[in-house]
Amino acid sequence: MLFKDIAILDENLDYQQHQWVGVLGDTIDYIGDDEPSDAAKYGEVYEGAGRLLMPAMYNAHTHAPMTLLRGYAENLPLHEWLQQKCWPFEGKMTGEDNYWATLLSCAEMARYGTVSFSDMYYHTPERARAVDESGLKANLCTSPLAFEPKPIQEFPIFAEMEDSIKNIDGMADGRIKFEGCIHAEYTNNDVTAKTVFDWAKEHNTRMHVHVSETEFEVAGCRERHDGLSPVQWLESLGAFDVPAIAAHCVWVDDEDIEILAKRGVTVAHNPASNMKLSSGFAPIVKMLEAGVNVALGTDGMASNNNHDLFQDMYLMAMLPKGTELDPTLITPKQAVFAATRAGAIAQGRDDCGLVKEGFRADLAVLDITGTSWCPINDMLTNVVYSSHGSDVVLTLCDGRVVYRDGSWPFIDIDMVKAEVVERTQRIQRELAEQVD
Ligand SMILES: [Zn+2]
């Protein structure tokens, strides 16, 4: 595809007008002011008038199959929400339920310009199949909940981890990766956690873990582990000896932030989920000042309840201004970077997340002719504060169209929606029968 005379956010996230961008295979092959001399080799010419080409987005923390729980458990405190609503529902979810729910998440993400996501859940083969078919990318992991202090090798989930690192990591031309994970400190113990971290090191993979989401979690951790915070506990056991995503980090202190920065941990900031579950506001300004890579996540659909990362980007830029009473905090560029390049870095996709020659063609094209885009005094400001995910008209992942003008080339959206509705109703019936 050759984008003709189109506005772009360049590799420095600066706004450039009247650019030509050529995509060859999975790569951005050409960016320039003029039509390339060998234009014909790019195939379709895409008219760029009224469009903005920007890097696609990378969702650094979600639970894709939780689309089945969208709107199911509302207005509850986190621990009640998790233990009394989410876990019983999830206990009824089969592998095929996970497959269809993940496909719906992929469709929704592609529709809103997201091409890749870090996904913590179960039934990895079924999730991987959905990601593969959708054309998207994902860093999958499966989250041991281990209340007994025994090595991970003694838990049934270990077989899935071993199988996934052998057969799923690197599949679909590297679009799908598999990595290590524990759900969180409060659902684990020293022995199991340490063997998971050792396993990640042994396989040279990455880690993904929920960290300091609530004040309650941090207080409990300090009690359980001689005053250590979740960040300190994780570090002491080797969780950060490999590149890691720490999701949430709402209740981290200066010492924690120093550790996260020093160890090159990416914080997946989930502003919508943290507010919806009343967990608090992550100190992202301090993190950014300390040099922490802050990426953005939607979290699962039971606590957001959508995969529109444009909303999370808006909240990231907006919230610190309100909570710190300082309108200078978080620039539009910092927010766009978090939604794009920072997430690609978090996923170990070093050649992704920027509109740059030689980078993967992971691109989102926005219709900027809508009322909320007028006038364009500052493009980045419009992208952060005036846009909606629904402005996306085209999403490319590794150079392939995964969404365009209301259609998904690789997903039968009507069938996916019908399956999701039917499967959600079945699980709710099963839960009701159990109560009776
Ligand atoms: Zn989560």
Side-chain angles (χ1 to χ4, degrees):
M1 194 175 278
L2 178 64
F3 294 93
K4 174 187 175 185
D5 195 15
I6 195 164
I8 71 167
L9 297 184
D10 70 13
E11 62 184 272
N12 301 309
L13 298 180
D14 289 326
Y15 175 47
Q16 307 287 348
Q17 297 185 71
H18 309 296
Q19 297 295 294
W20 291 75
V21 178
V23 172
L24 206 57
D26 61 9
T27 303
I28 300 169
D29 184 64
Y30 174 85
I31 303 171
D33 295 328
D34 305 308
E35 182 176 357
S37 54
D38 46 358
K41 75 175 179 184
Y42 297 108
E44 179 187 348
V45 175
Y46 188 97
E47 292 293 337
R51 299 286 184 264
L52 173 72
L53 179 78
M54 62 177 279
M57 293 181 169
Y58 299 77
N59 187 343
H61 178 68
T62 190
H63 312 279
M66 287 185 84
T67 36
L68 294 190
L69 287 87
R70 196 191 321 255
Y72 167 71
E74 297 295 315
N75 294 34
L76 290 170
L78 188 143
H79 292 274
E80 210 174 303
W81 168 85
L82 192 62
Q83 290 168 14
Q84 292 177 20
K85 298 292 283 187
C86 295
W87 286 350
F89 189 105
E90 291 171 316
K92 301 280 179 198
M93 285 171 65
T94 64
E96 283 305 289
D97 293 338
N98 276 265
Y99 165 77
W100 290 102
T102 303
L103 260 185
L104 181 64
S105 280
C106 290
E108 190 183 349
M109 283 189 250
R111 196 268 164 273
Y112 295 138
T114 292
V115 293
S116 187
F117 56 104
S118 292
D119 197 55
M120 184 194 290
Y121 218 64
Y122 305 100
H123 296 281
T124 304
E126 287 82 1
R127 286 184 295 150
R129 180 157 55 97
V131 175
D132 185 11
E133 288 174 16
S134 73
L136 268 66
K137 310 182 193 192
N139 287 36
L140 305 175
C141 64
T142 194
S143 55
L145 303 176
F147 297 102
E148 287 172 77
K150 52 186 191 181
I152 189 63
Q153 288 79 358
E154 292 178 25
F155 286 87
I157 204 165
F158 184 66
E160 184 178 318
M161 289 166 62
E162 283 283 281
D163 180 66
S164 299
I165 201 75
K166 276 196 203 91
N167 301 315
I168 287 174
D169 187 41
M171 77 180 260
D173 297 323
R175 282 190 287 119
I176 302 174
K177 296 172 186 246
F178 186 76
E179 51 198 26
C181 171
I182 62 165
H183 171 265
E185 175 276 326
Y186 64 93
T187 47
N188 265 277
N189 61 76
D190 291 57
V191 177
T192 315
K194 172 104 176 55
T195 53
V196 172
F197 306 151
D198 288 346
W199 179 89
K201 267 184 276 187
E202 181 192 327
H203 292 285
N204 197 24
T205 184
R206 314 173 80 83
M207 275 298 305
H208 190 165
V209 53
H210 289 117
V211 183
S212 302
E213 182 173 4
T214 63
E215 199 173 14
F216 175 76
E217 171 192 335
V218 176
C221 177
R222 289 195 191 279
E223 249 181 67
R224 285 184 288 273
H225 303 293
D226 288 333
L228 294 181
S229 70
V231 170
Q232 291 171 324
W233 178 78
L234 287 162
E235 200 209 15
S236 74
L237 296 174
F240 305 145
D241 293 351
V242 296
I245 290 178
H248 302 304
C249 294
V250 175
W251 294 93
V252 288
D253 60 19
D254 292 350
E255 212 175 315
D256 291 332
I257 292 173
E258 205 182 306
I259 293 170
L260 296 168
K262 193 175 73 194
R263 303 307 304 270
V265 176
T266 290
V267 169
H269 175 43
N270 303 270
S273 175
N274 294 156
M275 272 205 293
K276 191 159 184 290
L277 292 169
S278 303
S279 301
F281 304 100
I284 55 164
V285 174
K286 277 188 175 179
M287 292 181 201
L288 289 166
E289 279 170 4
V292 175
N293 185 45
V294 176
L296 277 172
T298 57
D299 210 355
M301 291 305 93
S303 61
N304 186 302
N305 296 356
N306 64 73
H307 275 304
D308 182 354
L309 214 47
F310 282 83
Q311 289 190 354
D312 296 276
M313 181 169 70
Y314 172 90
L315 290 174
M316 173 185 174
M318 194 66 95
L319 289 179
K321 296 175 173 66
T323 56
E324 311 288 322
L325 303 181
D326 181 351
T328 68
L329 299 176
I330 306 294
T331 63
K333 198 175 269 194
Q334 283 177 311
V336 176
F337 186 88
T340 57
R341 178 65 177 157
I345 292 168
Q347 296 178 350
R349 302 183 187 277
D350 296 338
D351 58 351
C352 295
L354 294 173
V355 180
K356 181 176 180 176
E357 279 182 14
F359 267 49
R360 296 294 184 104
D362 290 349
L363 302 168
V365 176
L366 278 66
D367 177 349
I368 54 171
T369 61
T371 49
S372 70
W373 289 86
C374 184
I376 298 170
N377 285 313
D378 180 80
M379 178 53 90
L380 271 177
T381 299
N382 277 15
V383 168
V384 173
Y385 295 106
S386 310
S387 68
H388 304 91
S390 53
D391 295 326
V392 172
V393 290
L394 172 67
T395 307
L396 261 60
C397 180
D398 276 356
R400 293 199 300 171
V401 174
V402 291
Y403 171 80
R404 185 172 189 171
D405 299 325
S407 299
W408 293 259
F410 305 118
I411 297 174
D412 181 341
I413 197 67
D414 292 332
M415 195 202 289
V416 171
K417 287 196 285 189
E419 287 281 351
V420 163
V421 169
E422 199 178 296
R423 286 163 189 279
T424 305
Q425 289 171 350
R426 187 206 80 234
I427 291 170
Q428 295 204 3
R429 263 198 319 274
E430 286 175 12
L431 287 168
E433 280 161 17
Q434 203 165 292
V435 172
D436 293 347

